[in-house]
Each structure stands twice: as C-alpha cells, then as structure tokens.
Amino acid sequence: MRKKLICLLLCLVAVILPLAMTGCGNSTTTDTDEESSSRPAVSINLWLVSDKEVSAETEAAIEEALNEITQSKYTTKVDLVYFTYDEYYAALDAKLEAAKKYKEEHTSTAITLPGIAQSTETTEETTAETVVNELGQRLLKYPDINEGQLDIIFIDGKDKLRALADAGELSTLDTNLNASSKILKEYIYPSFLEQIKYNKNTYAIPVNHQIGQYTYLLVNKALAEKYYIDVSSLNSFAACGDLVEEIGRHESDVAPVLAYADPVNMYYWLGGDTPSLFASYVPTAATLGSRTTMRSAFDTVGFTEHMLLMKKCEDNGWFAADPENTETFGVAIMTGDYDLRDKYAENYDVKVLTSPTLTEDVAYQAMFAVSAYTANLDRAMEVITLLNTDAATKNLLQYGIDGVNYELDDDGALVYLNDAYRMTNLYTGNTLLSYPAPGEAANSRDDGKAANRDSRISPYFGLSDVADEIDQDLVAEMRTLSDTYMERMYACANAAELADFFENAKTELYADPTYKAAFSVGDDSKSPYAVYARWFEKLWPSAE
C-alpha cells in the first residue's frame, strides 16, 4: 500500500510541477515554439538590393544570424540573395524566366508551385524530417532551395509592380494580410497598403517609411507684436507683406526674410517642383478626391502675390546675406521634419503650409512581393511580416552584425565599424524600426511616425493611369510655351515690371493657340485639362 501511495505522489508531482513552472513564467516553451515544433522545415529565398557587393563571408554571417530568428520562430530557413541595384532587375528577370520554364517542364514536381497550393500550411505533413549532426544532436532537416523556386523579391516603382502582376509573376497577398499577417496593418501606415492595390488585389507589401516633410511659415513673434500685426492672420507668405515691409524699413540689423523660396501649395502639370506655366493651387487640406483647376500660374493669386513679394524683397535687399548662419529674421519658409516647429517655437509662430503628401513616387518607392513561383506563400509572408514588425531583424539586414559591422556608442548612437556591408534603409524593411544611421537625429523615427499621422494623399494619386490619353505633341508645345514665359518672368528687373508682365501675359496667353488647346474640353479632347476632368468624374462623380 505504501508503494502505491508513493507512486501516486510521484505521478502527481510529474503532472503538477510543469504546470507550476509555467504559471511562474519559468517555462521556455512559448506558443510560437509549440507551433514551430510541429511544423515541417521549409527553405525559401529572399532577394535584396545592396549598396555595394556583399562578400560571401559577410552574406553567410548575416544569413546565419537571420536563420537563428526564422528557424526558431517559424521553422523556416532563409537563403539571402544580394545584388547591387544596377544588377538586380536583370538578374530578377532572368530568374523569373527560368522559374517559369522550370514550372512548365516540371508540372508534377513535389515542390509547391503556382496554381497548386497558395496556402501551404493546411497541406503540409506534421511529422518533421530530422538529421543528426556531428555532436549527435537531432535537428530539423531543411530542404535545398529548388532551382525553379523564387520566393520573396524586392520591387520599386508602380510600372514594375503592375507589369509583374499583369504577367502573372506575383502571388496575391490579401488572404495572408487579413489573417496570419494582419499585424502588418499596425506597422505600415494604412495609406501605403490601400493605395498600391492593383485591380483590388495586394501584390506587394510596401516598406513603411516617412511619407515626406512639412513646409512651414515662420513669423517672428516679437517683431509682429512690435508692429501690431496679428500673427494668427498670417497664413501665407504673401500675407506677411506688411510685416516684411515694416522690418525692412525700421530694423537695420534683422533680415526681413530669411531666403528666397518658390511658391507653396502649387501643382505643376508639366511635372516636377520647378515653377512652370500650367499650374493648380492645392489648398493645405486638399487630399485624394479634392478637385483642383488647371490654369495659368500667372492667373493664380497664390502664385503671383508670392512672386511679387519675393521680387520686392530682392529689389530692396531684404534677404539674409548668409541664410544658413542667420539666427534672427522676420519671416521664413522652411521645409523640414516634425521637430522643426519645436526648434523655433519659442521665438517664432510656426504654421504648417503643406503637410507630408503621399504621392505615387513615395508609395511605390520600395516593396516586397512573393513570386508566383514560391515554394511556400505562408512562410514567405511570415518573413515579410518579420521585416516590417521586428526591430532585431530589420537592424540585422540594414546594418549587419552587431560588434562586427556596427556598434552602438555610449549614447546609443550607431557607429559603423567598417564598410563591408552597406544597405539603403528603404530596401530592408520598415525604416521606422531601425536605429538612426550616423548623422540622423536620435528622434528621427518618432518624427517619421508623427509625419505619417499628419500626412495626406495627393489629390493626383492615380492620375498617371490615364497619362497615355494626353496628346504628347500638345504637351511638348505646352512645355515650349511654358519655358518661354517663365524665362520672361525671371528676367523682370523689379517688382513693378513683374506686375506688368503678369497682367500682359494673361492677355497674350488667352489668344495663344497652344494655350487654348491645353484647356480644350469635350469627350474627344486629349488635353491635360479634359483628361483630368474625365478621370476625376469617373472616380468621384458629381451629384446629379
């Protein structure tokens, strides 16, 4: 009887002790570990773009460090493939062609290929294959990468993404994005994910990064008070004319305006940020779905009044002689990050003229996609998720091995130890998870998140879809006309001459055939004005 009691007690201890250890937080088995232990080993590849060639030794070290994470977390081995940018797309195109050919020649292969299984976790065997190493330890056996296999690829640019999607070279990711990888929606600013969809499908995961910078108007609070000017009413540079003139007349030791700046909140229809003839004024609050009107810049008050005041400052020598080293000034237009307002807030009223704006160039700047020739879509998406949600993984791919390629100094700032490994931050995953690079502000990542929260989507996002409807011969004529008139504008000797030019130019342009053609309307018109109107009306129909 005594022996039976002892056996019973030992059995109870065997059951209770592990439970007690788990309750105290001493267990080394997590939910992820339990899941991974029953998952078969999978091998995938990850194609990356490097700033310079990565040596075999460096690649092996980073790959080993990455696999310590992915094998433990996902039972997935990752083979890194590096190319410099000028080599990348030629190599990718060749690999896609080879993968397509392999698929056609191996339709019965055991490797999961497109059309066989998009979600592989439900079809895999749960018994993992193992091998014994030289120490007698039993380890998971990871399969070799199949020659027809291509998993995670880097893409930049709208045209490249859509060309690959149209060719059937990419997997759709929405199922994973709405289930196992839904955490990405907490780390990637929503506008990125929504705006790069194509035919309502997600073919790539955009790399999260700061959308852009602010344009600020700075007004000297003490000088505004001195001259009885209400700073709350000054919402544009042109509105600061009275203050600028008072400072110019009475403050010999203060520059009325820090430096010349181009007009703010303007969209130029001939492309770029440089002022040109055909333009639209875009209010600060305008976003996708906000309609604007193309017109002559010379017929746009926000443009002409700004340029006239700038010219007046030039006439009177009211710009600072050395803007970069001038600490006190009357008025300034500055472009910068979120923290610029804090830098100047004590002495200047700082107003946002333009918030960070998500344009197509920004949205499609860097993405990771899963090839249609992946061996395992689910595992590839887990790794893409890791790049965008895990700081350790991000910093590893961005900076290399801590203590070998870089280190953090006593202040926590990153210092490169050598130049063996260099990557562009946009090309390795969520930029707002990485350590600030040398020269970047310590708070730059927080500033980036704040900027994204304040951002807007460009009112012209998606307009490029109909760009080929515009008469390019007409665009060339418009460009010639614009160059002629902008040259005349900049040649004006003073503000009075510039004012006369604006008035005369409007009359001249109304009679110019190219100018009139640019604003032609009608269903058959291929003018920028008409194509934009049709595009807008299709997406945001006016009320009947």
Side-chain angles (χ1 to χ4, degrees):
M1 184 67 177
R2 180 180 178 84
K3 289 181 179 179
K4 290 181 179 180
L5 288 172
I6 291 174
C7 289
L8 179 59
L9 287 171
L10 288 173
C11 289
L12 288 171
V13 169
V15 172
I16 294 171
L17 184 57
L19 293 174
M21 291 180 67
T22 301
C24 294
N26 294 322
S27 173
T28 58
T29 301
T30 65
D31 292 340
T32 301
D33 294 331
E34 290 172 0
E35 180 185 354
S36 298
S37 65
S38 64
R39 302 174 95 196
V42 171
S43 298
I44 62 174
N45 49 40
L46 167 59
W47 283 47
L48 294 169
V49 176
S50 58
D51 290 356
K52 56 180 292 183
E53 185 175 348
V54 179
S55 70
E57 180 182 6
T58 299
E59 178 180 325
I62 295 172
E63 192 174 275
E64 180 181 0
L66 175 62
N67 281 305
E68 288 181 8
I69 300 171
T70 60
Q71 291 180 20
S72 171
K73 192 173 183 66
Y74 301 124
T75 323
T76 300
K77 181 179 179 181
V78 181
D79 175 40
L80 296 177
V81 182
Y82 288 95
F83 290 97
T84 57
Y85 194 91
D86 59 350
E87 303 169 327
Y88 181 77
Y89 282 112
L92 179 61
D93 290 343
K95 181 63 178 179
L96 285 166
E97 184 62 30
K100 181 179 180 180
K101 182 178 179 181
Y102 184 92
K103 176 196 172 184
E104 293 170 349
E105 295 175 351
H106 299 78
T107 55
S108 61
T109 180
I111 295 295
T112 302
L113 287 175
I116 296 177
Q118 282 295 299
S119 182
T120 59
E121 300 299 342
T122 60
T123 61
E124 292 175 327
E125 297 292 335
T126 56
T127 302
E129 190 175 354
T130 60
V131 293
V132 178
N133 67 8
E134 63 275 11
L135 300 177
Q137 299 170 315
R138 187 165 293 279
L139 305 174
L140 283 173
K141 180 182 178 181
Y142 285 90
D144 294 333
I145 298 290
N146 184 274
E147 62 180 290
Q149 178 181 342
L150 178 61
D151 300 292
I152 304 172
I153 60 175
F154 171 84
I155 305 173
D156 65 341
K158 177 180 180 177
D159 291 344
K160 191 67 176 180
L161 173 66
R162 293 191 171 186
L164 290 172
D166 286 338
E169 307 281 19
L170 303 179
S171 300
T172 55
L173 310 178
D174 297 277
T175 298
N176 296 78
L177 189 57
N178 292 323
S180 57
S181 294
K182 63 184 178 181
I183 193 173
L184 284 170
K185 296 178 181 180
E186 299 177 19
Y187 283 82
I188 298 175
Y189 194 69
S191 296
F192 280 115
L193 288 167
E194 185 60 31
Q195 295 306 315
I196 71 162
K197 284 186 176 182
Y198 181 45
N199 293 332
K200 299 183 179 180
N201 293 317
T202 301
Y203 288 100
I205 302 300
V207 171
N208 195 49
H209 64 283
Q210 182 172 328
I211 287 174
Q213 293 185 305
Y214 300 84
T215 303
Y216 295 101
L217 175 68
L218 281 67
V219 179
N220 189 303
K221 290 189 285 190
L223 290 174
E225 182 178 3
K226 179 177 180 180
Y227 293 106
Y228 303 101
I229 293 175
D230 179 13
V231 294
S232 67
S233 66
L234 306 181
N235 295 311
S236 69
F237 176 71
C240 299
D242 289 343
L243 176 60
V244 169
E245 190 158 344
E246 291 286 2
I247 297 171
R249 289 178 176 178
H250 305 295
E251 305 289 337
S252 59
D253 57 343
V254 177
V257 177
L258 183 63
Y260 171 85
D262 285 329
V264 178
N265 294 351
M266 300 298 298
Y267 177 82
Y268 299 107
W269 287 84
L270 295 176
D273 297 323
T274 303
S276 57
L277 177 59
F278 299 93
S280 291
Y281 177 76
V282 184
T284 302
T287 186
L288 190 63
S290 300
R291 187 160 194 162
T292 64
T293 302
M294 186 180 91
R295 61 200 311 173
S296 163
F298 307 152
D299 204 16
T300 304
V301 172
F303 183 94
T304 56
E305 289 189 350
H306 179 103
M307 293 301 294
L308 285 168
L309 181 55
M310 284 292 178
K311 193 67 175 177
K312 187 174 184 178
C313 291
E314 180 185 317
D315 295 345
N316 290 280
W318 287 345
F319 294 131
D322 183 9
E324 292 186 2
N325 295 308
T326 299
E327 296 183 359
T328 303
F329 50 84
V331 177
I333 293 175
M334 290 188 184
T335 298
D337 291 329
Y338 186 89
D339 63 349
L340 185 146
R341 64 193 76 187
D342 297 327
K343 177 180 178 181
Y344 288 96
E346 182 177 354
N347 298 313
Y348 293 86
D349 182 69
V350 183
K351 288 187 172 68
V352 174
L353 295 179
T354 304
S355 297
T357 303
L358 183 69
T359 63
E360 292 188 25
D361 288 344
V362 174
Y364 293 95
Q365 204 165 358
M367 300 162 281
F368 283 100
V370 181
S371 153
Y373 308 100
T374 182
N376 195 304
L377 172 58
D378 293 334
R379 299 299 182 91
M381 273 299 287
E382 286 175 341
V383 173
I384 289 178
T385 302
L386 199 66
L387 302 183
N388 284 284
T389 61
D390 183 70
T393 302
K394 165 62 184 180
N395 283 309
L396 171 64
L397 292 181
Q398 176 59 32
Y399 296 119
I401 308 295
D402 186 4
V404 176
N405 304 109
Y406 77 94
E407 66 180 8
L408 301 180
D409 64 19
D410 293 340
D411 297 323
L414 186 137
V415 178
Y416 285 116
L417 298 179
N418 51 62
D419 63 352
Y421 188 72
R422 287 291 186 276
M423 303 291 286
T424 297
N425 203 4
L426 262 173
Y427 298 171
T428 57
N430 192 340
T431 66
L432 302 184
L433 289 178
S434 68
Y435 299 124
E440 288 187 296
N443 63 342
S444 60
R445 303 305 181 239
D446 290 335
D447 284 350
K449 295 173 185 176
N452 286 2
R453 288 193 294 269
D454 286 349
S455 68
R456 62 175 180 174
I457 303 173
S458 168
Y460 308 102
F461 198 106
L463 184 58
S464 65
D465 291 344
V466 295
D468 59 354
E469 297 179 18
I470 300 173
D471 183 344
Q472 294 305 306
D473 290 336
L474 173 59
V475 170
E477 294 172 4
M478 290 168 60
R479 196 175 302 279
T480 299
L481 183 67
S482 175
D483 291 345
T484 299
Y485 273 86
M486 297 307 291
E487 183 177 347
R488 287 175 58 187
M489 181 189 76
Y490 288 120
C492 290
N494 51 54
E497 187 175 321
L498 181 61
D500 288 340
F501 166 77
F502 284 147
E503 196 62 36
N504 294 330
K506 286 190 289 185
T507 303
E508 295 171 11
L509 287 167
Y510 291 155
D512 186 277
T514 297
Y515 184 82
K516 289 192 288 187
F519 291 92
S520 64
V521 295
D523 293 340
D524 297 332
S525 174
K526 295 183 178 180
S527 73
Y529 188 89
V531 171
Y532 167 76
R534 289 196 297 267
W535 171 79
F536 191 93
E537 186 66 21
K538 180 180 179 181
L539 294 175
W540 300 280
S542 55
E544 294 294 337

